Amino acid sequence: MIHWQQIFVWGVAFSGFAGSMVYAAAPAPSGDASIVSPQSKVEELWVDKGFTEGACVDVDGIIYFSDINFEGGLGKIMAFDPATGKTTVFSADSGQSNGLMIDQKGNMLAACGANNGKQCLARITKQGKVKCLVDNYEGKKFNAPNDLVVHPKGWVYFTDPRYVGTEPLELDHMSVFRYDPKTKTVHRATTDITKPNGTVVSPDGKILYVAETDNGATGLETEPPQNLKKRMTLNAFPIKKDGSLGKKTVLADFGGKETGIDGMTVDQQGNIYAAFRAESRFGIVVFSPEGKELAYIPTPTLPTNCTFGIGDDASTLYLTAGSGLYRIPCKIPGFHPSLSIKK
């Protein structure tokens, strides 16, 4: 999640879905047509005034996403039902949740950030209440948990950067952490990423992908930092048997002039769908597991995250961008690491 954003909207035309619209004037997807057809169109499902993030799917097909409030109000978690096309409030006070995911037991987990948020890894109850699981590392408050992924073995990897928020910084690093729900312990997983953002696990459970999105901001500045050396990379870490991470491989380096990747998801073939936020070319960029660009899906404004549906909706890519929720049909079903284990 990056706070400073460009707002740009294409011309629109109403679709056949109640309350939705497709972007008839949108640039066409490009690249490998076996991933996304150039005839596919981005469809707007819901737009409000907040900042959407953290899309995830439950076993019943409901798409959940965070609606972050940067103006001092309460963040929310919204629920979109593909069967009805309706979007409702699931949690009226999300603790400024960002990344969301459903674990193997059906619990919703959330990375709750700063800026009057809970600054913790949390469980969201069926009633939409926030229950913090862990809020510190070695007694020091997390910076602003941002994104998370649940490994098939149950480990929860979550990133802890800081982009916005005036709360004091207690940690002297921004890292990926691993939470073990069995022992209720938290472990620092990375020491060589300056500012981690989106994260996702490969379908075989052997690789953790991490976006390094270091814009130099901590949220304590009165103005966005200028003329700083930025780091914008996509990285792969081998996951060891105990859940710790091996040596990273930089799959792609986007340079330091523009913003790189935010949230990510994967398909069943292991391709990485990344919310790419460079203002000169923003959208969903699809990478191979080796970091080669395969396809590009333009979005109406700067995207933040994405996830696939499930069941009959498994090849539909849902994405958050600006203040809205969108979707586009793709060709390959998505992979959900925590929903792929039978309960």
Side-chain angles (χ1 to χ4, degrees), residues 85-297:
K86 294 182 179 179
T87 302
T88 56
V89 177
F90 171 69
S91 174
D93 181 1
S94 69
Q96 295 289 33
S97 70
N98 193 323
L100 305 171
M101 185 163 278
I102 309 299
D103 70 10
Q104 289 90 342
K105 296 181 179 180
N107 298 311
M108 178 184 288
L109 303 183
C112 296
N115 199 41
N116 298 314
K118 295 290 187 181
Q119 290 177 256
C120 71
L121 175 68
R123 177 175 64 86
I124 311 297
T125 70
K126 300 298 183 182
Q127 294 74 39
K129 303 299 182 183
V130 179
K131 303 291 184 182
C132 286
L133 298 174
V134 60
D135 65 1
N136 71 91
Y137 175 66
E138 296 183 342
K140 295 182 179 180
K141 192 80 171 176
F142 290 130
N143 303 307
N146 184 289
D147 199 12
L148 78 159
V149 63
V150 182
H151 191 274
K153 291 186 178 180
W155 303 313
V156 184
Y157 295 92
F158 64 97
T159 61
D160 184 42
R162 171 71 74 83
Y163 295 104
V164 297
T166 58
E167 294 87 346
L169 289 171
E170 298 184 13
L171 290 170
D172 62 0
H173 56 85
M174 298 183 185
S175 306
V176 179
F177 291 94
R178 183 182 84 255
Y179 176 73
D180 188 334
K182 293 182 180 178
T183 61
K184 295 181 171 40
T185 55
V186 64
H187 309 268
R188 185 181 180 186
T190 62
T191 58
D192 52 357
I193 292 287
T194 61
K195 197 169 189 178
N197 195 324
T199 188
V200 71
V201 170
S202 62
D204 62 8
K206 295 181 178 180
I207 301 293
L208 183 74
Y209 297 110
V210 179
E212 181 178 40
T213 314
D214 191 347
N215 64 348
T218 65
L220 299 177
E221 303 87 0
T222 56
E223 296 290 338
Q226 302 293 327
N227 301 319
L228 292 177
K229 185 177 181 180
K230 302 175 183 179
R231 285 185 56 80
M232 304 290 170
T233 62
L234 173 60
N235 306 274
F237 290 86
I239 300 173
K240 299 181 181 180
K241 291 182 178 180
D242 64 355
S244 62
L245 303 180
K247 183 178 180 181
K248 78 173 181 181
T249 298
V250 179
L251 300 181
D253 189 333
F254 309 112
K257 293 183 179 180
E258 296 187 274
T259 302
I261 292 172
D262 200 335
M264 300 181 285
T265 193
V266 294
D267 66 24
Q268 291 183 9
Q269 295 183 12
N271 299 314
I272 305 159
Y273 296 64
F276 197 69
R277 292 176 61 84
E279 292 194 9
S280 63
R281 184 178 181 257
F282 53 84
I284 303 299
V285 178
V286 185
F287 296 94
S288 72
E290 295 75 34
K292 178 184 177 181
E293 182 174 327
L294 302 176
Y296 168 59
I297 303 170

Side-chain angles (χ1 to χ4, degrees), residues 71-85:
E71 307 303 325
L74 301 177
K76 296 178 291 186
I77 297 174
M78 309 300 295
F80 171 77
D81 185 347
T84 65

Side-chain angles (χ1 to χ4, degrees), residues 23-89:
Y23 287 86
S30 59
D32 190 341
S34 68
I35 293 175
V36 58
S37 168
Q39 281 74 48
S40 293
K41 299 292 184 181
V42 172
E43 178 190 357
E44 177 188 291
L45 303 172
W46 179 90
V47 172
D48 201 357
K49 298 178 181 179
F51 184 92
T52 56
E53 253 283 10
C56 79
V57 65
D58 204 346
V59 291
D60 58 3
I62 301 297
I63 303 295
Y64 294 94
F65 60 98
S66 295
D67 186 20
I68 301 171
N69 190 319
F70 288 117
E71 307 303 325
L74 301 177
K76 296 178 291 186
I77 297 174
M78 309 300 295
F80 171 77
D81 185 347
T84 65
K86 294 182 179 179
T87 302
T88 56
V89 177

